[in-house]
Amino acid sequence: MWVVPEWIEAHCVVPDGFNRGKQFRLYDYQLEYFANFYLVKGSAEFDPDSPLLGPAFVYRRSLLIGPQKLGKGPTTAAHVCVEGVGPALFAGWARADDGYACSEHGCGCGFEYPYEPGEPMGMSWATPLIQITAFSEEQTGNVYDALRPMIEYGPLSDMIPKTGEGFIRLPGDGRIDTVTSSAQSRLGQRVTFVPQDEVGLWTKTNGMAKVADTQYRGLAGMGGRAALTSNAWDPGENSVAQVQYESAAKDIYRQFRQPPAALSFRNKAERRKIYQVVYGDALKPRGGHIDVDSIEAEAHDLIERDLAQAERFFGNRIVAGSDSWMDPTVWDERHDSDARPPAPNDEITIGFDGSLRDDSTALVACRVEDGYLWLLGIWECPAEEAAAAEWEVPVGEVDAKVAEAFKTYRVLKMYCDPAYWQDIVGRWAAEHGEKVVAEWWTNRERAMVAALERFHTAAVTGQLSHDGGETLARHVGNAKKKITRSGVLVRKDRPGSPRKIDAAVCAVLAYEARGDVITAGWVAHKKKPRFAGF
């Protein structure tokens, strides 16, 4: 029994094109999506005086990832129609004597369902409040511009007689609004349904991650739910789409049809196979609206300029952006879960990058024997402005952590970017030897380019490994390319960004120190290392 899918096909119409006003037929991916979003928990007892709203459903939130032109906008528009005037809530389990029509549960359209005993029934919200949300007004138009004609040119026009430019008033004093990050006064409302569009672009940096969290709190108060849609995201941006997809939460429905990894997006013939997988029956040869040749033309044009973006948009794959310094997939592959954990007296090198107030300070270790990296310590400036204004690096804690590292391990070399820390680095050198603790200025362009290239090559070829730590992975993922006359440097995504890269720089320094130790003549020895020049 497909209550919601049947309701959509009976009430919603195609919003544009030559078929505008005709019945909205669900593609396979849409049927799968709505069937899961409205999946009801087992046959629990139902109290008609206290309806089970949000908790009746298996999922409190959904994430639909699809390629460009798939039709996510009209899909969400149909979803808004359901949540606005359709059977969006669980109305209990049908009994043998149940006769049912929409009018009996608030819809008012007279559409009848042949319920069988034991089947779940649906009902409408009494006062729905829906916020179609996106980063910009132009993006909210992806949904709203499909929603209005879907209502105006079909059966829903009798139930929703007037649609406005900025909002739509619903029966029962409900309404549908479009919301962006600038609409702060409306973001705390007790909403019943929130479609969030293009969440692959929502990040902490642009403020949209905070918008998402605010709306989730508002939904929780009403037993409402959210529906997130996006293209495949750039894994270096830590977007809302990525966070929701990678979350351990089991009550988030994730629909993400990805092509076989063995198919190359560079190869035209294999690209066609990828389209067949990710677009499915939405392609014209299968009765859909998408012309594969048009998709191919757009993808081919974009490939010439930005392969990663083309593969995300049209191949529905998670691919790092072209400005990302390290492909997160490569970094993840270097996680060695079978490696011997760091142990006392291991011979290591250390990378240090210090700050005082508005940045991070970090220490990363590299085992000389096998190039295994791990984070010794990090002190990060808080993201909140008020807390950041009062924050300073706890110098004493950093100093103690360095002393602990020298006491625990056999530190053969420590490279320090000494900006703001010259006096302390000098003291460390005096305590542990100038040949062990050395300044390594990262603002030396040619030297830094060479060190970054050696580190990147080692990661790609598997010459280094790491412990899988989240913080180090985040800093490596945050690092963007900065193209200079000498070669590739790393930078943050923008000046003053809270997305720090300091631990990544420390890892590079630690690995560079290891290389210099080995070049100087280090060889592994069970009791005591032998090396020349130290």
Side-chain angles (χ1 to χ4, degrees):
M1 182 65 190
W2 305 105
V3 176
V4 169
E6 288 183 14
W7 187 93
I8 289 173
E9 292 193 341
H11 293 79
C12 299
V13 297
V14 177
D16 51 28
F18 292 110
N19 292 323
R20 186 171 70 175
K22 293 184 178 180
Q23 183 180 19
F24 189 83
R25 295 283 189 184
L26 295 175
Y27 294 127
D28 290 345
Y29 85 88
Q30 294 169 323
L31 177 60
E32 179 184 355
Y33 170 74
F34 285 115
N36 279 283
F37 188 88
Y38 290 100
L39 183 63
V40 177
K41 295 178 181 178
S43 56
E45 291 296 323
F46 175 71
D47 180 1
D49 297 323
S50 180
L52 297 174
L53 303 180
F57 296 109
V58 173
Y59 302 108
R60 63 185 166 90
R61 195 173 302 155
S62 66
L63 175 64
L64 174 61
I65 306 299
Q68 202 84 341
K69 309 300 182 185
L70 180 64
K72 296 188 293 295
T75 301
T76 303
H79 204 165
V80 170
C81 292
V82 176
E83 292 287 333
V85 294
L89 299 178
F90 178 55
W93 304 97
R95 294 179 289 270
D97 58 346
D98 275 334
Y100 181 81
C102 286
S103 57
E104 296 177 16
H105 287 277
C107 176
C109 69
F111 184 73
E112 296 186 0
Y113 297 101
Y115 278 126
E116 296 293 334
E119 289 183 338
M121 300 185 295
M123 60 185 283
S124 301
W125 285 97
T127 307
L129 178 57
I130 299 170
Q131 291 182 342
I132 299 171
T133 313
F135 179 66
S136 65
E137 290 185 10
E138 181 180 358
Q139 287 177 332
T140 61
N142 292 339
V143 176
Y144 198 74
D145 291 348
L147 175 64
R148 291 183 65 193
M150 186 174 283
I151 294 171
E152 294 168 355
Y153 290 92
L156 292 175
S157 60
D158 293 332
M159 303 166 57
I160 309 172
K162 187 176 181 180
T163 61
E165 292 289 340
F167 73 96
I168 297 173
R169 196 171 296 281
L170 299 172
D173 292 328
R175 60 185 287 152
I176 301 170
D177 292 312
T178 58
V179 174
T180 66
S181 60
S182 61
Q184 295 295 324
S185 62
R186 285 187 284 174
L187 289 177
Q189 293 178 335
R190 290 161 59 83
V191 285
T192 59
F193 181 59
V194 175
Q196 297 176 334
D197 191 44
E198 291 301 339
V199 290
L201 303 176
W202 294 26
T203 65
K204 287 184 178 180
T205 302
N206 60 31
M208 292 304 292
K210 182 177 180 181
V211 169
D213 288 339
T214 301
Q215 289 185 319
Y216 298 154
R217 290 194 295 271
L219 288 165
M222 294 294 289
R225 295 190 289 166
L228 290 65
T229 54
S230 179
N231 295 119
W233 57 88
D234 182 340
E237 295 182 350
N238 201 37
S239 65
V240 168
Q242 179 177 353
V243 170
Q244 294 296 315
Y245 185 76
E246 296 176 353
S247 167
K250 296 182 179 180
D251 56 355
I252 299 175
Y253 174 64
R254 304 163 177 89
Q255 187 167 315
F256 187 1
R257 185 181 296 172
Q258 300 181 66
L263 295 177
S264 170
F265 202 73
R266 287 185 179 274
N267 182 287
K268 183 176 181 179
E270 294 187 6
R271 209 157 52 234
R272 292 270 177 164
K273 294 179 181 179
I274 289 173
Y275 300 149
Q276 296 295 321
V277 173
V278 301
Y279 287 99
D281 60 343
L283 292 173
K284 277 187 176 179
R286 302 186 184 183
H289 67 284
I290 300 171
D291 182 84
V292 69
D293 291 327
S294 297
I295 292 295
E296 169 59 19
E298 291 291 337
H300 183 268
D301 180 61
L302 187 54
I303 285 171
E304 298 298 316
R305 295 177 281 113
D306 192 334
L307 174 62
Q309 189 175 175
E311 197 160 3
R312 289 199 304 272
F313 282 2
F314 298 104
N316 212 35
R317 278 177 169 163
I318 304 300
V319 184
S322 59
D323 65 340
S324 293
W325 172 60
M326 180 75 70
D327 186 337
T329 302
V330 170
W331 186 253
D332 289 344
E333 290 174 349
R334 297 290 78 80
H335 173 209
D336 188 353
S337 58
D338 296 325
R340 178 175 62 81
N345 293 319
D346 272 351
E347 297 166 340
I348 70 170
T349 54
I350 297 175
F352 169 77
D353 185 23
S355 67
L356 290 180
R357 293 184 177 85
D358 59 349
D359 224 331
S360 299
T361 290
L363 290 161
V364 172
C366 181
R367 190 157 56 204
V368 177
E369 176 185 347
D370 54 5
Y372 182 77
L373 294 151
W374 70 95
L375 189 69
L376 287 171
I378 189 163
W379 298 264
E380 296 187 277
C381 180
E384 297 78 13
E385 291 186 8
E390 302 294 329
W391 187 80
E392 290 186 357
V393 175
V395 176
E397 291 183 18
V398 179
D399 198 21
K401 182 62 68 173
V402 170
E404 179 186 342
F406 273 89
K407 182 178 180 181
T408 304
Y409 307 103
R410 303 184 67 179
V411 181
L412 305 186
K413 199 77 170 172
M414 179 178 181
Y415 278 160
C416 308
D417 186 358
Y420 310 112
W421 287 72
Q422 289 95 325
D423 290 346
I424 296 175
V425 170
R427 176 164 55 78
W428 292 339
E431 292 174 358
H432 305 290
E434 293 182 357
K435 289 186 177 181
V436 175
V437 179
E439 293 185 356
W440 206 103
W441 289 85
T442 58
N443 60 2
R444 296 176 298 147
E445 187 171 295
R446 290 186 179 180
M448 191 62 184
V449 165
L452 287 164
E453 184 176 353
R454 280 189 285 270
F455 186 91
H456 192 277
T457 299
V460 171
T461 58
Q463 297 175 61
L464 61 75
S465 61
H466 59 80
D467 66 345
E470 183 276 332
T471 301
L472 183 54
R474 171 163 51 84
H475 280 232
V476 170
N478 288 344
K480 303 297 181 182
K481 292 178 184 176
K482 179 182 179 181
I483 308 301
T484 71
R485 298 178 71 176
S486 301
V488 177
L489 293 174
V490 291
R491 60 173 176 82
K492 291 186 288 189
D493 56 350
R494 61 176 175 81
S497 172
R499 297 169 61 80
K500 306 302 184 184
I501 65 173
D502 306 271
V505 173
C506 290
V508 172
L509 293 182
Y511 193 76
E512 186 74 0
R514 173 184 182 258
D516 288 344
V517 165
I518 293 173
T519 300
W522 176 91
V523 291
H525 193 277
K526 290 184 178 180
K527 294 182 178 180
K528 186 176 180 180
R530 303 196 312 270
F531 44 143
F534 287 85

